[in-house]
Amino acid sequence: MKHSLLMLLTFWGCTTLSAWAEKQIFVSPKGNDRAAGTFTHPLKSIQAALEKAGTLENEDVQIILRKGIYEQSQTLEIGSSGKYASLTICPYQNEKVSISGGKEIPLSAMKKVSDKKIIARLPESARKQIREIDFNRLNIPMTDLRPSGFGRPSSPAWSELFANDAPLSLSRWPNDSTVLIGKVLEAGTGEKVKEAKLPVFQYNEDRPSAWTQAGSFWIGGYFAHGYASDMIRVDHLDPETKTIHTAQQTVYGFMTGADWRRWYALNLLEELDLPGEYVIDKENGKMYVYLPENTRTLNVSVMNDPLVAIENCRNITLSKLTFEYGRSIGIYLENTQHVRITGCTVRNVGGVGISIGKGTETPDKKTLKPHAAEAGGTPKSRVVGDLMGRLYQDILFNRTAEPITESPTATSTTQEAEVSVWVEVTVPHLLRPETLWKTAASMILTA
C-alpha cells in the first residue's frame, strides 16, 4: 500500500472571473433555493447548490459562497451521484464563510438564575455572574455527558459551549490540578476480574463533602495506570464515610498508592466559580454559565454527524472555508481520489477534524477490555468508533480511503492503492487537559 499526505500552502479565492470553472453556482444566507443560483439571484443553502451542481454533466463546477454562517442540520454529502468533472466549494473572493453544525444562542436568552435550590448550590462569590440557558425554550437539542477515555470507542461529544469562537470548560474541582485517590474499597473491573462491583474509593480532602446536594456527577483522571485516563459518572457521594460510589466501570479498575493515580470532579454547580465554565443539567434541559468578560457571541454544538462527507468521487476541492460546532467529525472522506482541502479552518468539533476512511462499530461491546484485545468491531462509514481496538488486533485493516486498483504488474491477488489528499488547515493552539483527544483538525489516516 502506498500512501501520501501533501501539505499545500496555496491561497486562492473564488471570483466571478475564475478561469478554470465554466459553471458557477452562487449561494448566500440571504438567497432563495428557488432562485437561479446566479450572482444576483443566489441560492440559500449549500445543499441546494450541490443538487444543482450534480446535474451539470462533465463540467468544472464552482459553488461560490457569500459571507455568513451556513448552519447545517444534516451532513453535506458530496458523492458519486454528481455528474460534474470537478467540483470546488469556496467563498466569494476573501469573504468569511462558516459551515456550522451548531446554533448561535442569543445573549438576550441568558437569564438570571431564579430557582432557589440551584442558587443555594452555586458558589456565593459567583452567583451574580452566573446565567442559565433554557434549551427547551430555545428549541435546541442538548446532549448529556458520556464516558470518555482509554479503551472506549470514539463517539459524538456532548453539547459544548463556545464564546467568541473559543471553547468553554465544564466546571471542575480542583480548577487546575488533580488529587490523589484514597483507599480503594471496591476496585471494580480490572485486568483479571471479569465481574465485579462498581468502584468505590475514599477521598482525602474536605471539599467534596460539600457536594451532598449534587446527586450524580462526573469524575476524570488516571484511576490505575498513567497512560489510561478516563471519565465516568458518579452515582453518589457519602460524606460520613468520605466515599465516592461510581456508576460505571473503567478498563483497569481503581488503584491507589502511586502519585499518578489521581482524580478530579466535573460538571458540579458547587464548582462553577470561574469565568468560562458551565454546567450541563440534562434532566431540566438547561445549562448554567459563567461567561467570560466581553462575550460577543455564544454558540452550542448540536450536529452529531460529520459536517461534510466526501465519498466515492474524485476531483473535489474545499477552499478557504471554516468548519465548526459539530459534535462529531468535521470532514469525512472515503473512497476518494484527488481531493484538496486548502486554506480551510477546522475547529471546535467534538471529534477529529478530518477523518480519511472507515472507522468501526461495536454495538455488542458490553464491557471494557484491557488493551482492546477483544474489541475492534465491524467497519462503518462516517465514524471513528473503536478503530484503535481494531488496529490493535488487525494492523492491515483496510479503511477503503481510496479505491483499490490493480497495478500494471499485479497478479489477480495483488493490488496497490494510493491515497492523495492535499490539506492545509488551521489548528487551535490551546488544548485543555481533559479534552486532548478532541483536538480540532487532527487527522485519522488509513493504515
Side-chain angles (χ1 to χ4, degrees), residues 352-424:
V352 296
I354 301 172
S355 182
I356 306 176
K358 292 180 180 179
T360 65
E361 183 180 41
T362 51
D364 57 343
K365 186 174 181 180
K366 303 298 183 183
T367 58
L368 296 170
K369 303 294 183 181
H371 308 299
E374 298 180 34
T378 56
K380 185 176 181 180
S381 300
R382 303 189 186 184
V383 302
V384 175
D386 207 7
L387 177 62
M388 295 300 101
R390 178 63 182 262
L391 292 176
Y392 188 87
Q393 58 181 326
D394 180 10
I395 60 173
L396 298 179
F397 172 52
N398 180 12
R399 300 182 62 196
T400 62
E402 197 265 358
I404 301 295
T405 57
E406 291 189 6
S407 63
T409 59
T411 67
S412 59
T413 58
T414 303
Q415 295 178 321
E416 180 181 293
E418 179 179 354
V419 177
S420 298
V421 180
W422 291 258
V423 179
E424 181 203 339

Side-chain angles (χ1 to χ4, degrees), residues 314-325:
R314 60 188 300 160
N315 301 329
I316 306 297
T317 298
L318 305 178
S319 178
K320 302 182 74 173
L321 305 169
T322 295
F323 301 88
E324 57 190 346
Y325 305 139

Side-chain angles (χ1 to χ4, degrees), residues 20-24 56 58-62 84-87:
W20 64 84
E22 296 181 9
K23 298 294 182 180
Q24 297 177 327
L56 302 175
N58 296 323
E59 297 281 2
D60 294 315
V61 181
Q62 285 185 338
Y84 40 74
S86 68
L87 175 68

Side-chain angles (χ1 to χ4, degrees), residues 161-172:
L161 285 180
F162 305 87
N164 299 341
D165 301 326
L168 305 187
S169 301
L170 293 168
S171 68
R172 171 174 170 155

Side-chain angles (χ1 to χ4, degrees), residues 121 211-217 268 270:
R121 291 180 55 194
W211 305 337
T212 56
Q213 301 302 311
S216 178
F217 59 96
L268 282 159
E270 289 82 355

